[in-house]
Amino acid sequence: QLSNAKIAKAYSMAVAASCSVSYGLNKLLQASQTKISPSSYYLLSKTIPFTAVASAGALNVILMRYNEMKYGIDVMDENGNVIGKSKIAG
């Protein structure tokens, strides 16, 4: 089971990643504003929030499910009896 501390840590790291990606991409876009057309600038500026949220979501999944991927999850038969662990299922 995940403790509240682990959930808070994963959430905080995902939020920090999202803010960092958003800030970095905005700075990068501002630096290249004179090198790209206004329509490209507009289009790229509209994709930054999606990119930031997508990166936060991906990081959150990895952080929240890390133990399941590393150690596996319980595999049960039809009666609910644990018959082993599976990393593939995790």
Side-chain angles (χ1 to χ4, degrees):
Q1 286 291 5
L2 290 173
S3 67
N4 287 339
K6 286 184 181 179
I7 292 172
K9 180 181 177 183
Y11 175 78
S12 299
M13 291 179 75
V15 168
S18 177
C19 291
S20 299
V21 167
S22 179
Y23 180 78
L25 289 176
N26 273 316
K27 286 295 184 184
L28 182 66
L29 189 60
Q30 287 173 1
S32 63
Q33 185 174 7
T34 58
K35 299 173 186 163
I36 59 176
S37 69
S39 59
S40 295
Y41 180 83
Y42 177 78
L43 181 65
L44 290 171
S45 70
K46 297 302 176 192
T47 63
I48 289 174
F50 171 77
T51 306
V53 170
S55 66
L59 182 61
N60 195 31
V61 167
I62 292 168
L63 293 172
M64 296 291 286
R65 301 296 181 187
Y66 176 75
N67 285 337
E68 293 173 2
M69 291 184 283
K70 184 174 181 180
Y71 302 111
I73 61 171
D74 291 336
V75 177
M76 300 178 189
D77 63 11
E78 59 274 353
N79 298 324
N81 301 318
V82 176
I83 57 174
K85 285 198 169 280
S86 173
K87 287 184 182 181
I88 294 173

